[in-house]
Structure formats: structure tokens, C-alpha cells
Amino acid sequence: MQHATLGSLRVSRIGLGAMTMAGTYTSGGGLDDAESIRAVHRALDLGVTHIDTAESYGPFHSEEIVGQALQDRRDQVVVATKFGILSHAGDGTGMFDSSPANIRTAVEGSLKRLRTDRIDLCYQHRVDPNTPIEDTVGTMAELVAEGKVLHLGLSEASPDTIRRAHAVHPIAALQTEYSLWTRDVETELLPLLRELGIGLVPYAPLGHGFLTGQIRTPDDIPDDDWRKTNPRFIGEAFYQNLQLVEEVRNIAAEATATPAQIALAWLVAQGGDIAPIPGSRRVARVEENTAADGVVLTADQLQRLNTLTPATGARHDEFNESTIDR
């Protein structure tokens, strides 16, 4: 497995996202914790050294699964997790809390569930509009000094917030959506990250499954799946976005690869500071995704992928759009 650089942190250039191990995209039916643990172990066997989770996945269940899976192999992997969506004050049902007290409570909980004494990469999951980023990163920096956190990250932060955060303590990575159908980061964010020496960790590198080519009609998505409300999976946008996937499928046939592998190969070809985290809870999908590390696209194939028509529709529903780029 080749590697990518996130600040001063070195990780496998294809990682493993553990969100679906907690039931996302659906309401939780059909979970198989044993298979999820096997998927983590298989990823490690294949050279993956970057596992990404968050306290809000479940909530808490994904971290618990990752902790179980890594209990005898902790030193083989960079463990990343996130705080800030859940508030631990009151009844614990609040959202978007990056106050110093909440950060400390969240990190202690994550350490316990992950069965570890340190978090390799700790992200603020969403920017809290009620807490200055300087206060949030200041507390994260204290956790670095205490050895509980080794590297800091942000997720879905605006360029101004990134600059302000980085001035308090070096930020190793920004996590945001980046894929063949979500390329907004190329305009302003990616140049800024490279100016500051911050790596990029794309989530949803397969377009929430759309770029795998396995979703052909809206009926392929379960009724309790949140993608049923995502603008890119609804109505005419769905069928327009199928046209984008067709070109990915064509190139996959040429390269004797799967569409998912083409989408990942394109992404890692964008630079050595990019480390996508395709999510899976199944061994077969882990094997397919990690094999993208060996796919080499020709100059013609890269050009065709670079000039694909952008996806139709906003990448989130109205509420989730309001929580990003803050």
C-alpha cells in the first residue's frame, strides 16, 4: 500500500471509514458486528493504516467496534475520531458543542470506547458557531500536550476558520467530501490546505455509493436510507447523475477494474496529500476498495474523468448544508 502525508502524519493512501459499522446509511437494521471486525482486520492485513470513526456514529457504536477490532493490533494503525456533533451537557441530546468542557468529556469517552490511551488524529466534526475556533483548538492543543491526542483535524470548516485554527496549533488534516461528483474543494480549499501543509481526507469518495455503479434506480435505495432525502438521489437529478457514472463504468471496463476502484484511483492521483476513507462494514468491499491502490489510470482516462459533468443537486439536504463551510 502506498502512503499519503497529512501534515506530519503518514497514513495509507486508502483508509477505512467506519461510519456504516454503526448502521448508517439505514436506521441500523442488518448490523453484523463480527463482520465489521473482520473487515477491519482484513483492511489491516492489506496494508491499511488509517481507520476513521466518530462518537456520533451510532452514536458510540462505531467507536466500540473499532476498539474491539484493534485491541491486539493498536500499534499498526492511525486511529481518527471526531467530537462536536453531540453535546454531553444536560440530557445529552444537544448538537454542535465544541466548548472546552464538552471536548474533554467527548475525548475521554472516545478513549474508553476505542480501548486506547491516545487518539492519533482528533477532529472537530462540525464547527460550533457558539464557540470561537480559537477556544476549541486551544483545548485540543492542551490534549496534545497531555498526550491524549497526537494530531488535530477539522471537518467541513471554511477557509477562514482553517486559517484561524492553524494559527493556534498546526492542523494535520481537513475532512470534507471530495470525489468525482463533488469537486468544490479544488477552487479554494485545496490550494489553502497545500499552502498551510494540511492534508485532505475525503469522506464519501464513492459519492455515497453512487459511483460504484450498483445503484441504477431510486428503488435500489432502502426506504429507511437517508439518501432518499439527498438532493442528488431524488427525481431528475438521479437520472442525470447516472450519466456521470456511465463514463466511470466505461473506463472501469477498459482498465479491468470496478467503478469504485476507478473513482478511488482518480482521487489518489490528485496528490500525495490526499487520503480517502471509503466506508465499508464488509470484507469483500474492503478488498475491492484497497485494490484501487494498484490501479494506474492512463493520461487519457484521467483527462476524461477530469472533464466529467459535475453532479446535479446539492450534496446535502437543507439542514446539513447549513452545518458546513462555517
Side-chain angles (χ1 to χ4, degrees):
M1 174 75 71
Q2 299 180 66
H3 289 79
T5 301
L6 307 175
S8 60
L9 189 61
R10 187 170 171 81
V11 299
S12 57
R13 68 174 184 169
I14 296 176
L16 174 61
M19 181 177 72
T20 60
M21 296 178 188
T24 309
Y25 293 94
T26 64
S27 60
L31 285 184
D32 184 340
D33 293 347
E35 176 68 4
S36 293
I37 290 172
R38 286 191 291 270
V40 173
H41 289 167
R42 184 59 176 146
L44 299 185
D45 293 342
L46 293 170
V48 171
T49 65
H50 182 199
I51 309 292
D52 181 273
T53 183
E55 66 166 2
S56 63
Y57 299 161
F60 311 127
H61 190 65
S62 174
E63 286 187 327
E64 291 168 351
I65 293 300
V66 171
Q68 291 179 51
L70 297 180
Q71 58 183 330
D72 297 321
R73 305 179 71 171
R74 176 65 182 88
D75 292 338
Q76 293 180 238
V77 65
V78 168
V79 176
T81 194
K82 312 175 199 74
F83 68 85
I85 284 183
L86 303 180
S87 175
H88 297 278
D91 62 3
T93 60
M95 295 183 69
F96 307 120
D97 186 349
S98 286
S99 63
N102 197 66
I103 293 170
R104 287 191 169 275
T105 300
V107 167
E108 291 299 331
S110 292
L111 289 169
K112 182 177 180 179
R113 288 184 291 273
L114 291 167
R115 306 185 186 189
T116 187
D117 62 350
R118 81 277 185 194
I119 297 167
D120 298 301
L121 178 54
C122 185
Y123 292 93
Q124 181 191 39
H125 205 162
R126 289 292 185 273
V127 174
D128 175 7
N130 298 313
T131 304
I133 194 65
E134 290 81 2
D135 293 350
T136 295
V137 177
T139 302
M140 296 168 76
E142 291 172 3
L143 292 166
V144 172
E146 294 165 17
K148 295 179 180 180
V149 169
L150 303 187
H151 301 269
L152 305 187
L154 301 175
S155 179
E156 294 289 16
S158 70
D160 178 64
T161 297
I162 294 168
R163 284 191 182 276
R164 289 166 54 199
H166 194 69
V168 175
H169 186 281
I171 301 299
L174 174 76
Q175 191 167 136
T176 189
E177 192 170 350
Y178 184 32
S179 70
L180 280 169
W181 83 341
T182 301
R183 298 181 59 179
D184 316 60
V185 300
E186 295 174 347
T187 302
E188 185 176 6
L189 271 179
L190 193 52
L192 172 64
L193 298 181
R194 288 175 169 162
E195 173 193 333
L196 299 178
I198 300 171
L200 176 62
V201 176
Y203 73 82
L206 301 178
H208 302 294
F210 206 99
L211 294 173
T212 67
Q214 299 300 307
I215 300 173
R216 308 302 296 166
T217 76
D219 292 337
D220 293 331
I221 305 171
D223 288 339
D224 63 348
D225 190 309
W226 68 265
R227 287 173 290 187
K228 284 287 192 181
T229 64
N230 183 283
R232 294 185 178 181
F233 289 81
I234 296 173
E236 185 59 30
F238 182 98
Y239 295 100
Q240 290 185 25
N241 290 330
L242 277 182
Q243 299 174 30
L244 180 155
V245 176
E246 283 308 305
E247 181 63 2
V248 178
R249 286 163 59 93
N250 291 338
I251 293 174
E254 293 174 13
T256 318
T258 67
Q261 290 167 345
I262 295 302
L264 290 169
W266 174 84
L267 196 49
V268 298
Q270 305 310 303
D273 53 356
I274 296 174
I277 46 169
S280 182
R281 60 190 187 193
R282 296 183 176 87
V283 170
R285 295 287 76 78
V286 167
E287 292 174 339
E288 176 184 357
N289 292 340
T290 54
D293 181 60
V295 175
V296 178
L297 299 169
T298 68
D300 174 69
Q301 290 165 344
L302 282 169
Q303 175 62 19
R304 287 155 60 192
L305 292 168
N306 285 339
T307 55
L308 286 174
T309 301
T312 299
R315 64 185 178 100
H316 291 298
D317 60 24
E318 185 175 350
F319 170 74
N320 285 295
E321 282 284 330
S322 72
T323 71
I324 65 176
D325 196 34
R326 293 197 294 207

